[in-house]
Amino acid sequence: MPEDKISFEEAFAKLQEISEKIENEELSLDESLQLFEEGLKLSGHCSKILEDAKQKIETITADFGEE
């Protein structure tokens, strides 16, 4: 599933899984790099969702203050 189609919660859970695999399993360099790359994409996706939420909150707060 492409990163931009999953929820924050799903992406965060997947990031946790990746982190645990990298820390606890014997992985080849290629496997580690693949998981690291996937983790970076998921991290970027989570950051974008959080930034969008922050902007929505700022807009709502500003609109509320105008009433």
Side-chain angles (χ1 to χ4, degrees):
M1 177 180 293
E3 285 83 20
D4 63 343
K5 301 294 182 199
I6 62 175
S7 71
F8 176 84
E9 293 79 9
E10 292 170 318
F12 191 76
K14 188 128 176 93
L15 268 171
Q16 288 177 314
E17 289 175 23
I18 289 171
S19 177
E20 288 173 10
K21 278 185 182 179
I22 290 173
E23 288 179 7
N24 299 324
E25 294 183 20
E26 298 262 341
L27 301 171
S28 69
L29 179 59
D30 285 340
E31 290 170 317
S32 296
L33 289 172
Q34 185 178 16
L35 287 172
F36 181 75
E37 182 178 5
E38 184 179 355
L40 284 177
K41 289 177 185 178
L42 288 165
S43 177
H45 178 64
C46 287
S47 292
K48 182 179 180 340
I49 290 173
L50 290 174
E51 184 61 35
D52 290 348
K54 178 184 172 190
Q55 288 184 353
K56 285 180 185 179
I57 290 169
E58 289 172 354
T59 300
I60 292 168
T61 303
D63 289 348
F64 184 73
E66 293 176 4
E67 291 179 3

